Each structure stands twice: as C-alpha cells, then as structure tokens.
Amino acid sequence: KKNKNTKIEPRRSKRLQNKNCLLKPSVVNVDTSSLSEDEGDESESSEESSDSSSSDEVSACSIVLKASSPVFKRMLESNMQESQKKKKITICADSVDAVHDMLYFMWTNELPVYDHSNNWLFSLIKLAHYYECERLKIACINQIIQELSVDNFVDVVNTLNQYSIEEGTSAVTEFASKNRNKIIAHDRCNELPFMFKMSVLKMCK
C-alpha cells in the first residue's frame, strides 16, 4: 500500500529514465478521491498540500506537460508567477496509473500496451477531456474503436456522448447496424442514451 507521500516512478520508467534526468521535473500531486463531472477544467489547478489520504506524487517534466495541454500550461505558469520555486500541481484522476499512462503518452506519443481489457482507456479519455489533451483523446478513441465489441459497446457510446466526442461516431454507428440484434439483446442495452436507441438502433419505446 502506497503512503500519501510515496514517490511513484511512471510506468515504463526504464524507457523514460534517460529523458527525465535531462530536464528539471515538476511534481504532480495526483488526487484519486474524485474527478467530478461538474467541475471545470481548471478547478483542479489548486495547489493542494499532500495531506490528502488519497493522493500520491509523480515527477513529470513541466516542458512536456505545457506542450501537451493548454490547461497544464496555465496551471504551471500561474504557479511560477507566484514563486519560481513552486512547481507543483494537483491532477484529479480515477487512479495514479491513469496519470502514469497519460505521462507515458506525452513522452512517446504512443499508448502503453497491456494484455488485459481496455477499460483503462476510459479513464485516459476522461483525463484528456478535462485537461484538453487532444492528441491523447484521439489516440484513445482510435484504440477503443479498434477493440469495439458488443460487450464494451455501451461504455464506448456513453463515453462519446458524455464528452461530446464526434471522432469515431461513424464507426460506432456502422458497428451498431451490423450488430443490432446482439446489442439490443445485451443486458446493458437499457443504459444507452434514449436518442441513440431510437435513431440508430431503431428501437420502439
């Protein structure tokens, strides 16, 4: 179990170690208590102390953060105006692993590869949305569309709908047309948005 002040190395740290040592890092305080759907993008920019029992610290390069996200750029530049010594920002995320994966993408422009299910991608899309990381968002959508199935169909549709993402909608619609009966028979079909069920699946009330 990680302590609240535990220093966590990003996943794939061996591949990133040489790059990280060349640039002065910032400290990212990761708050995993919540990522409210109602909060604005920059509401997470508050410089919280690491007293929260649900937070961890991750080292990250401020140059990479600012180049990858206009939200991080505003957060870091605001902190530096207050004090040149302060280079600490708080990110709200579903998990510390999600932040590690986001940082990995920022360094390599590639998504990490895992053998397990792609559920972790939905946490990354949430981060990409709130921190305006467009490249990360597109990469996640492309990966999810490649792995689209009847079982994850509801999660994909609801994610695209929740964040008003247009990329991938044509592929989702095509998949729905080809697999209409299986999707309707799935036990989570009732979780799909009403208009999607009416317009795409042609379901009656």
Side-chain angles (χ1 to χ4, degrees), residues 24-48:
K24 188 175 181 180
S26 298
V27 175
V28 177
N29 189 56
V30 184
D31 182 1
T32 56
S33 60
S34 66
L35 181 55
S36 172
E37 305 298 341
D38 298 326
E39 293 180 9
D41 290 340
E42 294 185 67
S43 63
E44 287 81 33
S45 63
S46 172
E47 279 192 58
E48 302 289 344

Side-chain angles (χ1 to χ4, degrees), residues 32-72:
T32 56
S33 60
S34 66
L35 181 55
S36 172
E37 305 298 341
D38 298 326
E39 293 180 9
D41 290 340
E42 294 185 67
S43 63
E44 287 81 33
S45 63
S46 172
E47 279 192 58
E48 302 289 344
S49 64
S50 56
D51 294 336
S52 171
S53 60
S54 58
S55 66
D56 291 280
E57 289 187 354
V58 179
S59 294
C61 174
S62 57
I63 295 175
V64 174
L65 289 172
K66 290 192 287 185
S68 303
S69 161
V71 177
F72 290 148

Side-chain angles (χ1 to χ4, degrees), residues 30 51 56 58 61 69 71 85 96 120 153 175 187 189 197:
V30 184
D51 294 336
D56 291 280
V58 179
C61 174
S69 161
V71 177
K85 296 183 180 179
V96 178
W120 58 277
F153 184 80
F175 182 90
D187 56 7
C189 182
K197 290 188 288 187

Side-chain angles (χ1 to χ4, degrees), residues 62-178:
S62 57
I63 295 175
V64 174
L65 289 172
K66 290 192 287 185
S68 303
S69 161
V71 177
F72 290 148
K73 185 175 187 293
R74 291 192 291 270
M75 292 165 68
L76 286 165
E77 289 181 348
S78 175
N79 289 347
M80 290 184 67
Q81 287 174 3
E82 295 172 8
S83 171
Q84 290 294 326
K85 296 183 180 179
K86 290 183 179 179
K87 284 191 176 184
K88 183 173 182 177
I89 60 176
T90 298
I91 297 177
C92 290
D94 289 340
S95 67
V96 178
D97 283 345
V99 176
H100 289 169
D101 292 337
M102 177 181 68
L103 294 175
Y104 176 78
F105 180 85
M106 288 178 175
W107 270 112
T108 67
N109 205 33
E110 297 176 357
L111 292 173
V113 178
Y114 301 115
D115 295 330
H116 51 75
S117 68
N118 62 6
N119 290 337
W120 58 277
L121 286 167
F122 296 105
S123 295
L124 267 187
I125 290 176
K126 185 185 293 187
L127 281 175
H129 169 75
Y130 279 103
Y131 297 105
E132 300 177 15
C133 304
E134 288 300 312
R135 290 188 298 111
L136 176 60
K137 182 185 74 173
I138 297 301
C140 289
I141 293 299
N142 288 339
Q143 185 65 33
I144 285 177
I145 293 302
Q146 289 180 18
E147 301 176 12
L148 186 61
S149 67
V150 173
D151 288 334
N152 68 13
F153 184 80
V154 171
D155 290 326
V156 172
V157 171
N158 287 340
T159 297
L160 296 180
N161 182 65
Q162 180 178 1
Y163 301 120
S164 302
I165 298 174
E166 296 182 358
E167 295 84 1
T169 53
S170 58
V172 168
T173 301
E174 182 180 353
F175 182 90
S177 299
K178 294 179 179 179

